[in-house]
């Protein structure tokens, strides 16, 4: 690819610009050549997590220069990224972790047969994370970059800002075409609704930006017309159809303000672009895709039942892909399309060789024998100011509409647009349409919205995912002032104590609890019909509720079922792995330290008050130092061994994971890393290493760590074999730990075994709510119950039990209210001080200042 080979030809001209630095072409060429040495000379499959960052782009260009085929994947979608690793077994994995690019080599050579022409692998916009990939050659990429640079007349003085991710073919084409002409690229991941985005654009004299239809929705809401952009030269639009009225409006606005508006058409299968509409034709043909790009051509192929004068749009050009890849074996294939692409779009030719796309073959459905153009229905609704996405059912059409409320009016308008009876149209109202990472409506997710709906179920039709209400809920439970639609429970620092409360309230709001909701972004929740009679309670929540009841009841001597606290250690490890391992290293440290504080501070306050009032314990208890400085042998101070053990374990674990090398090993081998920790924990358990007080070995943090690690391993078990290994270790290591107390050993084995094999247990809603409250308050019940039951145990054991539970719940609520008040006071201060200390009126606050307080893990 010549645009990579000749970077140094542009000398000291700026190539890449960020808020922090500017990289010249000479410097970029040097960095790229250095990076090629890190990738080696043997041709290998390189998987790169795309990000609009200099170091990521350097490694990407280095791989192209060295001839390594690159699989470019979304860097902001860990599940999709890991799915591609599993599907394609790349030889090299490149990703940015905490701002540092890591190159993970998975072998000396290549595990694949790689065709000589293969240069780049991209997911199509509708299948991000899918194993179906587009195979692009060096010629495809180079020719399309040249074509785009030609019709946009890209100049060396141009500076384009990144409004789209680089793993998306449209965003990547902006980078390629500008590097080809020696122009600069302003790298940022900020939204166009962020004022700092436009400050960056103006400060560095940005001349162009690209947008998909959703980008222009955001621009309209943001007030783009009022922005002063003196260096703006042109705007490009692709990635979906923009309504003719809006094309005219942006074209006219550009004429008045001195910039051009280019409508473009393309597919990943054609590298990026196949057509463009010259600005001078936009007012006359705003509905069209324009003409073929330089070097390409169109023809129409007749289709049975297609509207008169239309046919499938066939494109021919040097940028047409080699073909698809579905498995690693397909990477050895050559060109199977020979430069011709069947687009799947229905189109017609209008005046002067300009084409108009009128629909998509796959979006025509037959309902009651009528051929329905779903895209035409969407366009009709758009003319009425409605943002909609249509899905064809077996006997009906389902219309998802964003931000509307008049269900019957929408149903009638949809029926008129396609000729169906009103009874054959169902409407699903949503706060926001689900979209892909590139802003397009996610048809698969829209179909899922109504997957469980039935024609006679008005409840299903009117189910709405209110993202505003969800943001409010997350802010309230997690005491965070930084909740956005992209936030998830984990990204906001949620953990096991807040998890239970959130899951209960979320289920009441949505009517169900989505799978993996804790890692799902707010915007990605979808409505589902409510389940009234049974609810699934997660096993770890149920174990916490049962364990705290057994702990309190056994201490009061209502019964003698011991071992609950040791089961809770496994649950703590399980939740630590679920809530903290997926987050970046620096954020993880902050989250865990916040969690430790949420455990330690209430404990220290409570014990400090108890010591001041009664003198029952040594001061070391209030400082949570009994395990280090406390008395030898069993004393009342050891009642709080569990809290100290959790605090010590979390602090040691997070310190170890803060080491970059260990962090990388854990991310690459999560399960085996956890099992290695189990092995380390078994050393003191079997007294290979002597640690702790000999009289209290089963209660010291070093001795119980292996149970925490077993819960961690249970959370990272992804296969049946993993679960069998963890189960075998549990069964082999728990016996003998409690000096022959068979009941205790069976309880711990059973509890940990349930954690390994069962994700949830169905139960009536009343029991699920009781379990949720007990689990949420479990730490506080454990902390307070000693002071409650001791005076009452002998004469009133059941009263002692009830009060122990009640006082713990009240203390939990008091802590929750205190944190809520703290957030409310902070928000009030922020409103009263528009320019807080440490920031200037013209600068955004630092990243550290934006981070909210975090909540606990236990």
């Amino acid at each position: 690819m010549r645009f990579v080979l000749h970077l140094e030809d542009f000398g000291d001209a700026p190539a890449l610009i960020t808020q922090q630095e500017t990289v010249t072409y000479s410097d970029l060429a040097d960095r790229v050549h250095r990076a090629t040495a890190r990738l080696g000379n043997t041709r290998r499959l390189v998987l790169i997590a795309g990000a609009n960052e200099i170091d990521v782009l350097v490694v990407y260009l280095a791989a192209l220069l060295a001839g390594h085929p690159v699989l470019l994947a979304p860097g902001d979608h860990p599940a999709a990224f890991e799915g591609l690793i599993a599907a394609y077994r790349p030889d090299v994995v490149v990703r940015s972790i905490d701002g540092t690019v890591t190159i993970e080599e998975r072998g000396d050579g290549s595990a694949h047969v790689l065709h000589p022409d293969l240069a780049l692998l991209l997911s199509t916009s509708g299948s991000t994370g899918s194993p179906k990939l587009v195979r692009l050659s060096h010629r495809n990429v180079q020719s399309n970059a040249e074509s785009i640079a030609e019709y946009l007349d890209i100049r060396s003085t141009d500076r384009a800002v990144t409004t789209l991710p680089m793993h998306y073919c449209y965003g990547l084409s902006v980078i390629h075409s500008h590097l080809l002409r020696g122009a600069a690229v302003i790298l940022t991941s900020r939204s166009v609704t962020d004022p700092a985005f436009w400050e960056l654009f103006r400060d560095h004299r940005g001349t162009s930006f690209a947008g998909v239809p959703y980008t222009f929705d955001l621009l309209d809401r943001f007030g783009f017309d009022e922005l002063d952009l003196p260096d703006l030269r042109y705007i490009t639009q692709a990635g979906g159809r923009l309504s003719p009225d809006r094309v005219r409006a942006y074209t006219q606005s550009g004429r008045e303000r001195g910039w051009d508006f280019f409508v473009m058409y393309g597919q990943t299968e054609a590298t990026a672009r196949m057509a463009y509409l010259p600005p001078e034709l936009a007012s006359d043909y705003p509905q069209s895709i324009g003409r073929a790009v330089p070097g390409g051509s169109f023809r129409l192929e007749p289709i049975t039942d297609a509207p008169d004068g239309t046919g499938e749009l066939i494109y021919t050009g040097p940028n047409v892909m080699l073909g698809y890849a579905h498995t690693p074996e397909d990477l050895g294939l050559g060109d199977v399309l020979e430069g011709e692409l069947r687009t799947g779009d229905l189109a017609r030719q209008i005046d002067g060789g300009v084409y108009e796309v009128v629909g998509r073959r796959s979006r025509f459905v037959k309902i009651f024998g009528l051929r329905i153009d779903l895209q035409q229905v969407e366009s009709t609704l758009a003319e009425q100011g409605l943002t909609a996405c249509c899905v064809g059912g077996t006997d009906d059409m389902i219309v998802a509409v964003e931000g509307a409320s008049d269900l019957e009016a929408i149903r009638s308008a949809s029926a008129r647009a396609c000729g169906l009876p009103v009874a054959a149209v169902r409407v699903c109202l949503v706060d926001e349409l689900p979209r892909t990472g590139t802003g397009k409506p996610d048809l698969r997710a829209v179909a899922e919205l109504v997957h469980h709906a039935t024609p006679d179920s008005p409840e299903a039709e009117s189910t709405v995912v209110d993202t505003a209400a969800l943001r409010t809920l997350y802010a309230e439970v997690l005491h965070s002032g930084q909740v956005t639609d992209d936030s998830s429970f984990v990204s906001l620092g949620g953990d096991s104590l807040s998890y239970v409360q959130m899951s209960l309230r979320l289920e009441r709001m949505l009517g169900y609890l989505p799978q993996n909701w804790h890692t799902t972004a707010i915007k990605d929740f979808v409505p589902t019909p409510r389940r009234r009679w049974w609810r699934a309670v997660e096993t770890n929540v149920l174990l916490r509720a049962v364990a705290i009841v057994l702990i309190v009841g056994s201490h009061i001597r209502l019964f003698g079922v011991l071992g609950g606290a040791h089961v809770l250690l496994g649950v703590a490890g399980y939740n630590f792995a679920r809530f903290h391992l997926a987050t970046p290293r620096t954020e993880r440290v902050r989250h865990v330290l916040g969690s430790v504080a949420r455990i330690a501070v209430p404990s220290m306050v409570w014990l400090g008050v108890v010591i001041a009032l009664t003198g029952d314990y040594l001061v070391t208890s209030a400082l949570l130092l009994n395990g280090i400085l406390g008395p030898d042998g069993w004393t009342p101070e050891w009642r709080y061994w569990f809290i100290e053990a959790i605090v010590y374990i979390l602090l040691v674990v997070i310190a170890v994971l803060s080491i970059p090398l260990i962090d990388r090993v854990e991310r690459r081998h999560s399960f085996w890393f956890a099992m290695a920790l189990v092995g380390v924990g078994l050393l003191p358990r079997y007294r290979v290493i002597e640690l702790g007080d000999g009289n209290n070995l089963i209660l010291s943090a070093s001795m119980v760590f292996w149970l925490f690690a077993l819960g961690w391993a249970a959370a990272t078990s992804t296969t049946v074999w993993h679960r069998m290994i963890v189960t075998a270790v549990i069964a082999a290591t728990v016996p003998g730990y409690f000096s022959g107390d068979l009941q205790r050993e069976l309880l711990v084995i059973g509890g940990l075994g349930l954690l390994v094999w069962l994700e949830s247990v169905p139960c009536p809603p009343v029991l699920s709510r009781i379990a949720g409250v007990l689990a949420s308050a479990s730490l506080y019940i454990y902390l307070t119950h000693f002071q409650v039951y001791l005076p009452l145990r002998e004469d009133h054991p059941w009263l002692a039990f009830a009060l122990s539970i009640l006082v713990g719940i009240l203390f939990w609520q008091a802590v929750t209210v205190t944190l809520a008040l703290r957030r409310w006071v902070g928000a009030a201060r922020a409103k009263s001080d528009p320019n807080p200390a440490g920031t200037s009126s013209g600068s955004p606050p630092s990243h550290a200042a934006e981070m909210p307080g975090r909540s606990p893990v236990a």
Side-chain angles (χ1 to χ4, degrees):
M1 297 181 199
R2 292 186 296 280
F3 76 87
V4 183
L5 190 61
H6 297 294
L7 292 172
E8 65 272 13
D9 292 355
F10 299 105
D12 293 331
L16 305 177
I17 300 171
T18 68
Q19 195 162 15
Q20 291 76 32
E21 66 175 315
T22 297
V23 178
T24 66
Y25 272 92
S26 294
D27 186 15
L28 178 60
D30 289 342
R31 295 190 191 192
V32 168
H33 281 288
R34 288 197 299 270
T36 59
R38 296 176 64 190
L39 294 174
N41 297 320
T42 303
R43 196 162 181 258
R44 298 186 288 178
L45 178 63
V46 179
L47 172 62
I48 298 179
N52 293 338
E53 300 173 7
I54 290 176
D55 290 344
V56 173
L57 187 53
V58 165
V59 177
Y60 167 71
L61 294 173
L64 296 182
L65 180 64
H68 301 292
V70 174
L71 200 176
L72 195 53
D76 57 353
H77 197 320
F81 192 76
E82 293 298 328
L84 288 171
I85 291 177
Y88 279 90
R89 305 187 306 278
D91 305 308
V92 182
V93 175
V94 180
R95 57 183 127 196
S96 178
I97 301 176
D98 296 329
T100 301
V101 172
T102 63
I103 299 177
E104 306 167 16
E105 299 188 65
R106 302 193 164 215
D108 295 331
S110 178
H112 308 286
V113 176
L114 304 170
H115 193 276
D117 293 339
L118 181 63
L120 184 61
L121 295 155
L122 296 175
S123 292
T124 63
S125 58
S127 59
T128 301
S130 163
K132 179 182 177 182
L133 302 174
V134 168
R135 297 183 294 114
L136 300 173
S137 69
H138 305 86
R139 178 174 181 250
N140 293 155
V141 177
Q142 177 71 26
S143 65
N144 205 230
E146 292 175 351
S147 176
I148 294 168
E150 179 180 343
Y151 71 73
L152 289 179
D153 186 26
I154 297 176
R155 307 163 188 173
S156 61
T157 53
D158 280 331
R159 297 184 175 190
V161 67
T162 54
T163 48
L164 302 165
M166 70 173 290
H167 68 264
Y168 175 36
C169 70
Y170 185 11
L172 191 61
S173 72
V174 173
I175 296 172
H176 290 168
S177 57
H178 281 72
L179 294 180
L180 175 76
R181 291 289 179 91
V185 180
I186 303 170
L187 295 175
T188 180
S189 297
R190 293 183 182 273
S191 167
V192 294
T193 60
D194 187 339
F197 174 93
W198 297 109
E199 289 179 17
L200 182 69
F201 188 83
R202 278 191 296 266
D203 290 347
H204 293 285
R205 304 184 65 182
T207 60
S208 69
F209 65 87
V212 296
Y214 186 57
T215 307
F216 294 94
D217 291 342
L218 297 177
L219 290 174
D220 290 345
R221 298 174 198 168
F222 182 71
F224 174 71
D225 284 344
E226 299 176 5
L227 293 177
D228 179 25
L229 305 172
D231 298 294
L232 180 61
R233 199 166 71 80
Y234 65 86
I235 300 172
T236 64
Q237 182 272 317
R241 185 176 184 270
L242 198 65
S243 70
D245 288 345
R246 299 180 75 195
V247 171
R248 282 197 182 96
Y250 273 91
T251 299
Q252 183 60 34
S253 179
R255 286 175 181 168
E256 294 172 356
R257 301 170 65 189
W259 46 263
D260 289 325
F261 186 65
F262 287 87
V263 174
M264 307 190 301
Y265 165 80
Q267 292 179 359
T268 310
E269 290 84 348
T271 309
R273 303 274 72 79
M274 291 183 284
Y276 73 103
L277 180 64
E280 62 270 18
L281 299 180
S283 295
D284 295 331
Y285 305 104
Q287 78 281 17
S288 74
I289 61 171
R291 57 173 67 115
V293 300
S297 63
F298 286 122
R299 66 181 176 85
L300 297 176
E301 183 173 289
I303 297 177
T304 305
D305 295 334
D308 293 341
T310 67
E312 182 175 8
L313 189 64
I314 310 297
Y315 174 79
T316 303
N319 52 316
V320 173
M321 66 175 179
L322 301 174
Y324 291 112
H326 299 274
T327 66
E329 288 70 30
D330 294 336
L331 304 182
L333 299 176
D335 188 352
V336 298
L337 297 182
E338 299 181 348
E340 184 171 276
L341 176 66
R342 308 181 71 89
T343 67
D345 286 327
L346 295 179
R348 66 186 182 97
Q349 187 175 4
I350 49 183
D351 296 339
V354 174
Y355 287 82
E356 177 188 359
V357 171
V358 297
R360 179 128 185 105
R361 290 191 66 177
S362 61
R363 302 213 65 209
F364 278 81
V365 296
K366 277 198 172 182
I367 302 173
F368 294 150
L370 297 175
R371 186 178 177 84
I372 307 299
D373 181 352
L374 299 177
Q375 185 170 311
Q376 181 58 41
V377 177
E378 292 169 0
S379 299
T380 301
L381 294 176
E383 292 171 1
Q384 301 176 33
L386 297 171
T387 301
C389 185
C390 300
V391 178
T394 305
D395 298 313
D396 53 17
M397 179 178 69
I398 302 153
V399 183
V401 182
E402 179 178 287
S405 58
D406 194 339
L407 189 138
E408 291 304 323
I410 296 169
R411 180 187 282 116
S412 298
S414 302
R416 287 194 303 271
C418 60
L420 283 173
V422 173
V425 178
R426 282 186 291 148
V427 176
C428 179
L429 303 180
V430 294
D431 189 58
E432 282 191 318
L433 287 176
R435 296 181 183 273
T436 65
T438 60
K440 293 183 178 181
D442 189 332
L443 297 179
R444 189 179 306 171
V446 170
E448 187 64 25
L449 288 177
V450 292
H451 180 68
H452 300 287
T454 56
D456 57 352
S457 174
E459 181 186 55
E461 287 180 348
S462 59
T463 301
V464 178
V465 173
D466 187 342
T467 56
L470 285 175
R471 290 195 301 271
T472 301
L473 175 62
Y474 274 59
E476 179 181 342
V477 174
L478 297 177
H479 314 292
S480 170
Q482 301 292 329
V483 182
T484 69
D485 285 350
D486 292 314
S487 301
S488 69
F489 179 81
V490 168
S491 74
L492 292 171
D495 45 41
S496 62
L497 292 183
S498 49
Y499 178 84
V500 182
Q501 183 183 8
M502 178 65 80
S503 65
L504 291 174
R505 295 186 61 178
L506 188 64
E507 186 173 18
R508 285 200 296 271
M509 178 179 287
L510 296 179
Y512 76 115
L513 197 62
Q515 188 175 16
N516 297 323
W517 69 267
H518 60 292
T519 57
T520 302
I522 290 173
K523 66 182 181 182
D524 294 331
F525 283 111
V526 296
T528 292
R530 297 181 179 273
R531 301 167 187 166
R532 298 179 179 177
W533 302 114
W534 289 88
R535 292 181 180 172
V537 178
E538 293 191 37
T539 303
N540 77 89
V541 174
L542 193 61
L543 286 174
R544 287 165 63 182
V546 172
I548 196 61
V549 169
L550 294 181
I551 290 169
V552 175
S554 296
H555 286 171
I556 297 174
R557 299 172 190 162
L558 289 172
F559 39 77
V561 185
L562 300 176
H566 288 82
V567 172
L568 287 180
L569 285 165
V571 174
Y574 180 86
N575 285 325
F576 174 84
R578 292 180 74 202
F579 302 140
H580 294 295
L581 293 185
T583 55
R585 180 162 48 89
T586 53
E587 286 189 27
R588 179 195 294 157
V589 173
R590 187 165 49 248
H591 291 181
V592 174
L593 291 180
S595 298
V596 170
R598 282 284 301 274
I599 299 168
V601 173
S603 301
M604 295 168 74
V605 170
W606 177 266
L607 288 171
V609 171
V610 169
I611 292 171
L613 294 178
T614 67
D616 285 347
Y617 306 107
L618 296 175
V619 175
T620 52
S621 292
L623 299 176
L624 302 184
L625 294 174
N626 181 67
I628 300 174
L629 303 176
D632 294 333
W634 173 260
T635 65
E637 282 76 15
W638 277 97
R639 290 170 178 162
Y640 300 99
W641 69 270
F642 177 82
I643 293 172
E644 289 193 10
I646 287 293
V647 170
Y648 294 174
I649 288 171
L650 288 176
L651 290 175
V652 170
V653 165
I654 199 59
V656 172
L657 288 178
S658 298
I659 301 171
L661 176 61
I662 294 179
D663 176 70
R664 289 196 293 272
V665 171
E666 189 283 322
R667 292 180 190 277
R668 289 184 61 180
H669 309 288
S670 299
F671 174 73
W672 296 111
F673 182 87
M675 290 306 299
L677 290 181
V678 174
V680 171
L682 289 174
L683 296 178
R685 181 258 181 270
Y686 285 109
R687 304 193 185 185
V688 176
I689 298 175
E690 290 288 347
L691 298 171
D693 183 350
N695 295 317
N696 298 306
L697 281 177
I698 66 171
L699 308 181
S700 63
S702 58
M703 283 294 291
V704 298
F705 172 71
W706 64 287
L707 293 168
F708 180 93
L710 279 172
W712 184 334
T716 56
S717 301
T718 57
T719 67
V720 172
W721 282 107
H722 287 171
R723 296 187 180 96
M724 291 178 67
I725 291 170
V726 178
T727 304
V729 173
I730 292 170
T733 58
V734 173
Y737 184 68
F738 297 104
S739 302
D741 188 339
L742 181 61
Q743 171 272 307
R744 206 169 185 177
E745 292 171 351
L746 290 177
L747 180 68
V748 174
I749 291 173
L752 296 180
L754 288 174
L755 201 62
V756 173
W757 290 100
L758 283 182
E759 290 186 1
S760 61
V761 178
C763 68
V766 172
L767 289 181
S768 74
R769 285 193 288 272
I770 293 173
V773 171
L774 290 172
S776 296
S778 56
L779 173 69
Y780 305 96
I781 294 172
Y782 182 90
L783 180 64
T784 60
H785 81 287
F786 292 107
Q787 280 67 54
V788 177
Y789 81 76
L790 285 171
L792 299 170
R793 177 170 61 183
E794 300 302 327
D795 297 327
H796 307 285
W798 284 105
L799 178 61
F801 178 81
L803 287 177
S804 295
I805 299 295
L806 178 61
V807 169
I809 292 173
L810 291 176
F811 188 35
W812 163 55
Q813 287 295 310
V815 172
T816 302
V817 170
T818 301
L819 290 171
L821 287 173
R822 177 172 170 265
R823 174 176 169 263
W824 180 82
V825 170
R829 287 177 177 172
K831 286 184 178 180
S832 64
D833 184 5
N835 186 27
T839 64
S840 65
S841 59
S843 303
S846 69
H847 180 69
E850 291 175 352
M851 294 307 297
R854 303 301 182 184
S855 46
V857 64

